[in-house]
Amino acid sequence: MGVEIKESPVSDDARAEMEQFVYDYLSASVETEDDGGRMRWYPWHSAEYRFNHILNVAELAETIAEAEGADTDIVVVAALFHDVAKLDAPQDRHAEEGANVAREYLESRGEYPASFIDAVCQAVADHSFQGPLSEVSLESRCLMEADVLDKVGANGTALMLLRMGYESRTHMDAARMVDRVLERGKDHLDRVESDTAESIGHKRLKRVKWFREWLESEVAEMTADRPEDPADGSDD
């Protein structure tokens, strides 16, 4: 008895077209808003950063989906569209709006099954859900875990240090800022369900801990005991 091979509905060319569409949509979102876009003072709210985040999430989501037995095509396409509306929709509606954009895009191509489109849009809509990941589909969970993991590790550390420059901080504040990355990373990892995501997250946090120790060993009087910060304005 032969093994049925599932043909992927998403070719490499189709994926590249989706990526281009998402980048163009993000760029247009910034260009059409007054003074350069919502929360424009932080570079992680630019089209360039948001698109890079989307690509990171798509790569992570694909890895998790393959290891966990999810439908990789659904997960990857949902990852590409999950933040497409991030720069032009209210934060509490960007997931729903992103699902609408994804549906319009996929349906206009006329080559994707309705069940595939529904599953992609459901994952996009689910990705901002704050409840237990056990309550969503496997494909939604893979996307949500990937979204969380992009904030853990080198990317989260670089963004936090970049924020220091915008707030006129010195390198003496770096240890405490990296400690915040560690704390947030641990909080994010508390949400993940899969062994794959947990393993990736722990490896990333281990590198952040190493960087924190490196800072302390080479910067005189480095300390985390400094005045408290104002409210955190980093990427969500």
Side-chain angles (χ1 to χ4, degrees):
M1 182 176 178
V3 177
E4 181 180 356
I5 298 176
K6 172 179 172 288
E7 183 178 354
S8 170
V10 185
S11 66
D12 290 343
D13 287 344
R15 180 168 174 172
E17 289 176 5
M18 289 179 196
E19 291 177 0
Q20 187 63 54
F21 171 84
V22 168
Y23 179 79
D24 291 344
Y25 190 99
L26 291 168
S27 297
S29 297
V30 173
E31 290 171 1
T32 56
E33 291 203 4
D34 294 339
D35 301 320
R38 183 172 66 90
M39 298 181 74
R40 61 196 178 278
W41 303 118
Y42 288 103
W44 41 92
H45 289 283
S46 68
E48 287 74 19
Y49 167 73
R50 187 55 48 187
F51 184 64
N52 180 258
H53 165 70
I54 285 170
L55 294 182
N56 289 345
V57 171
E59 182 176 342
L60 283 165
E62 187 169 20
T63 298
I64 297 169
E66 288 175 349
E68 297 297 319
D71 187 309
T72 305
D73 288 314
I74 291 172
V75 172
V76 169
V77 175
L80 291 177
F81 282 95
H82 84 281
D83 268 0
V84 69
K86 184 80 170 182
L87 301 181
D88 67 354
Q91 171 63 16
D92 62 352
R93 287 186 51 81
H94 85 278
E96 180 182 346
E97 292 299 324
N100 292 337
V101 174
R103 182 174 296 280
E104 183 175 348
Y105 178 94
L106 296 171
E107 288 181 345
S108 70
R109 268 46 188 183
E111 60 206 48
Y112 300 106
S115 59
F116 175 82
I117 296 174
D118 288 345
V120 167
C121 294
Q122 186 62 57
V124 174
D126 283 343
H127 90 271
S128 288
F129 176 62
Q130 296 302 307
L133 271 60
S134 58
E135 295 182 6
V136 299
S137 70
L138 176 58
E139 285 70 30
S140 293
R141 192 195 74 194
C142 291
L143 168 57
M144 294 162 76
E145 289 181 333
D147 195 23
V148 161
L149 288 176
D150 192 45
K151 304 176 182 73
V152 177
N155 194 36
T157 303
L159 287 170
M160 191 64 80
L161 296 178
L162 182 61
R163 179 188 167 197
M164 290 172 56
Y166 274 75
E167 297 180 353
S168 300
R169 297 175 183 270
T170 72
H171 68 296
M172 295 299 298
D173 294 305
R176 184 163 54 83
M177 300 296 275
V178 175
D179 283 341
R180 179 177 296 175
V181 176
L182 285 169
E183 292 167 4
R184 294 179 67 195
K186 291 173 183 175
D187 289 341
H188 289 319
L189 283 184
D190 285 341
R191 291 203 72 208
V192 305
E193 295 276 342
S194 72
D195 292 339
T196 306
E198 187 173 9
S199 176
I200 293 171
H202 282 303
K203 287 178 182 177
R204 290 184 168 209
L205 279 183
K206 185 175 181 179
R207 294 181 186 130
V208 178
K209 290 177 183 177
W210 175 80
F211 180 63
R212 171 65 171 80
E213 292 167 359
W214 187 21
L215 274 173
E216 193 166 21
S217 70
E218 294 193 8
V219 180
E221 299 181 4
M222 182 68 73
T223 177
D225 298 327
R226 300 173 72 84
E228 288 298 319
D229 286 330
D232 190 346
S234 56
D235 173 64
D236 53 12

